[in-house]
Amino acid sequence: METHHKRSAFSGKLGFVLSAAGASVGLGNIWRFPYLAAKYGGGIFLLIYILLAVTFGYTMIIAETALGRMTRKSPVGAYSHFGKGKGLAFGGWINAVIPILIVPYYSVIGGWVIHYLAQYLTGHGSALASDGYFSGFISNGLLAEISFLLFAFITLGIIFAGVRNGVERVSKVMMPVLVVLSVVIAVYSVTRPGALAGVKYFLVPNPSRFSWMTVVSAMGQMFYSLSIAMGILVTFGSYMKKNVSIEQSTENVEIFDTAIAIMAGLMIIPAVFAFSGGDPDTLQAGPALMFITIPKVFASMGMGTAVGVLFFVLVLFAALTSSIALTESAVSTFEDELGWDRTRSTILIGCIMITLGSLSALGYGPLASVTVFGMQFLDFFDFLTNSVMMPIAAIATCLLVSRIVGVEKIEEEVTREGQPFRRKPVFNFMLRYLCPIFAAIILASSVANALGWISM
């Protein structure tokens, strides 16, 4: 028997928007977006990303949120609501398993952020700029593990508090602070001598920098950044009140997320550009940009310690809001499918986080010799979820809506109580035709790239 009256709920539109934006605005924006933009063409990458976000991203957010609100279920329950076939069960579970696999290694990176912030706060920020510091830190099993556990326990403590008192309340505090910090740091960054060349590189599209991997990387980033195909939006949609506009909320989340991504680019790329004199090798540092290059940039600045503290507070807030969303999605699945209360469900995801997260935390130190398909544990979990499972989950959602639920049912849910659905033609066309194709392209290209079949 369904117990809709016991379902947790956000207080209103603001609660949903800030919580969903918190899920979207995370390490994907602050850490991943700038290094991908720097590596794959700057302005042309940004242009392609924005075009994809307002078409593909918009469509998937609408579909997932509507499915959640329509069924009042987490991903597994939402899929099984429309039938008991094996295909539906697979689609629901792959959406549900993704956050369970992401949050452990995500918490490891969150632990790195805590460690760096602690170093700046204790006056040791200059040490972070020394060659070999980052590799020495992550290869120190005990230090990496303690940092990871601290981040994980902060996340779990917020989840224990519930949807309104935990997830929503924390998002309402952290998101405005995150916006203010991003503006302050971006202004400081773009006013450094030589930084305007970096601003131009990031904001002005240059077709000569375009490559096929620019498109593939922008599509992959959109999944990560907008929290598409992670089960999060289905779960948060199930907490959304019926009188809240899905389309307007979606647009607010998109604007918030894209604005923070652009601010992150303005925080990092101009500063690195000024520091390196536009050296392409420095700009293409990849994942190391935030933990190796940025501390060197701060060390070369006046007020570098103060900027470092502000920057890593911002990154920590962003990491926590996304970690909370990932964990909440997993807890919701356990509550729905196992019939457990929040406490038992949180303890279960906590055990999974600590077990799998410890593998990732120790994977560059004591467990460095143990690899999966030649990858360290953290890299493997990132590849498995982001490059393989998430595109499959997106395809499953498109097929569920277009072939089983019916686009008309989604439209009916979106337009409840006279709520607007202005971009209905875009939604219909994207969902029926282009979204599954785009997701398949991401899957094929990412796997081929990982196997070395195509050039970066």
Side-chain angles (χ1 to χ4, degrees):
M1 180 177 178
E2 294 184 3
T3 54
H4 291 249
H5 62 285
K6 294 182 180 180
R7 187 77 177 168
S8 299
F10 292 120
S11 60
K13 178 182 175 181
L14 181 63
F16 171 81
V17 169
L18 289 179
S19 298
S24 301
V25 176
L27 291 173
N29 296 72
I30 310 298
W31 171 52
R32 206 169 186 269
F33 185 91
Y35 83 69
L36 287 176
K39 187 173 184 178
Y40 293 112
I44 194 69
F45 176 93
L46 177 61
L47 175 62
I48 291 171
Y49 175 83
I50 291 174
L51 290 174
L52 288 169
V54 299
T55 52
F56 189 165
Y58 162 85
T59 300
M60 294 305 300
I61 295 175
I62 289 279
E64 293 186 30
T65 305
L67 283 174
R69 194 172 76 171
M70 183 189 304
T71 61
R72 292 295 187 201
K73 298 287 186 181
S74 53
V76 177
Y79 270 71
S80 62
H81 180 85
F82 301 102
K84 299 296 182 181
K86 291 182 179 180
L88 289 175
F90 172 78
W93 275 109
I94 195 169
N95 274 273
V97 169
I98 287 170
I100 296 173
L101 292 179
I102 288 179
V103 75
Y105 80 78
Y106 193 95
S107 298
V108 171
I109 303 172
W112 298 350
V113 175
I114 286 180
H115 175 79
Y116 270 57
L117 175 59
Q119 292 298 100
Y120 276 111
L121 287 172
T122 55
H124 298 100
S126 59
L128 302 176
S130 60
D131 292 336
Y133 182 90
F134 179 64
S135 59
F137 161 58
I138 64 174
S139 63
N140 183 321
L142 180 61
L143 201 53
E145 180 73 5
I146 290 173
S147 301
F148 151 65
L149 290 175
L150 180 57
F151 183 91
F153 286 136
I154 292 172
T155 299
L156 292 169
I158 294 168
I159 294 298
F160 264 118
V163 173
R164 287 196 188 183
N165 293 327
V167 178
E168 181 177 335
R169 181 172 292 178
V170 169
S171 296
K172 283 183 175 180
V173 173
M174 286 188 175
M175 295 312 292
V177 174
L178 191 150
V179 171
V180 172
L181 288 177
S182 66
V183 171
V184 170
I185 298 171
V187 169
Y188 182 82
S189 175
V190 300
T191 54
R192 297 306 89 200
L196 287 180
V199 174
K200 181 180 179 181
Y201 175 84
F202 176 56
L203 295 182
V204 180
N206 185 340
S208 67
R209 298 193 183 104
F210 175 83
S211 71
W212 174 241
M213 282 308 298
T214 303
V215 179
V216 173
S217 299
M219 283 196 283
Q221 172 62 22
M222 184 191 55
F223 273 79
Y224 208 100
S225 187
L226 293 175
S227 297
I228 295 169
M230 296 185 187
I232 293 173
L233 293 169
V234 175
T235 300
F236 280 12
S238 74
Y239 300 151
M240 178 188 271
K241 291 183 176 180
K242 295 290 188 179
N243 62 352
V244 174
S245 169
I246 290 179
E247 182 172 54
Q248 289 180 353
S249 299
T250 295
E251 290 172 348
N252 290 337
V253 170
E254 274 194 306
I255 292 169
F256 205 112
D257 176 81
T258 304
I260 293 296
I262 292 173
M263 294 304 293
L266 290 174
M267 282 188 283
I268 293 175
I269 294 176
V272 173
F273 213 96
F275 169 75
S276 67
D279 180 5
D281 291 335
T282 305
L283 286 172
Q284 297 183 17
L289 195 62
M290 189 167 77
F291 293 106
I292 296 177
T293 308
I294 283 297
K296 293 180 183 293
V297 173
F298 291 161
S300 71
M301 291 179 171
M303 301 174 59
T305 298
V307 176
V309 169
L310 292 177
F311 178 77
F312 280 99
V313 166
L314 182 155
V315 177
L316 177 60
F317 278 16
L320 276 172
T321 55
S322 287
S323 178
I324 290 164
L326 289 162
T327 309
E328 178 61 34
S329 181
V331 166
S332 180
T333 294
F334 295 150
E335 287 180 313
D336 287 350
E337 301 310 312
L338 301 179
W340 289 4
D341 61 16
R342 173 167 288 269
T343 299
R344 293 175 68 190
S345 299
T346 304
I347 291 172
L348 176 56
I349 187 60
C351 292
I352 295 172
M353 283 173 68
I354 291 171
T355 301
L356 297 183
S358 293
L359 291 177
S360 294
L362 302 175
Y364 298 100
L367 299 180
S369 61
V370 183
T371 60
V372 184
F373 299 115
M375 293 179 272
Q376 307 302 136
F377 285 109
L378 190 151
D379 300 316
F380 170 72
F381 286 127
D382 181 54
F383 168 75
L384 178 64
T385 53
N386 195 55
S387 298
V388 179
M389 296 178 70
M390 285 163 63
I392 293 174
I395 294 171
T397 299
C398 290
L399 293 177
L400 173 70
V401 173
S402 62
R403 301 288 187 267
I404 297 173
V405 179
V407 174
E408 297 77 15
K409 289 289 186 182
I410 298 296
E411 179 187 351
E412 184 179 313
E413 184 65 34
V414 172
T415 56
R416 275 181 175 272
E417 301 184 23
Q419 295 164 9
F421 196 7
R422 295 181 298 272
R423 293 158 67 187
K424 174 185 169 183
V426 174
F427 175 84
N428 288 348
F429 180 73
M430 290 297 300
L431 189 84
R432 291 179 188 275
Y433 305 108
L434 292 188
C435 285
I437 294 172
F438 284 176
I441 289 172
I442 296 170
L443 175 62
S445 299
S446 297
V447 172
N449 183 55
L451 296 175
W453 294 345
I454 59 178
S455 171
M456 292 291 284

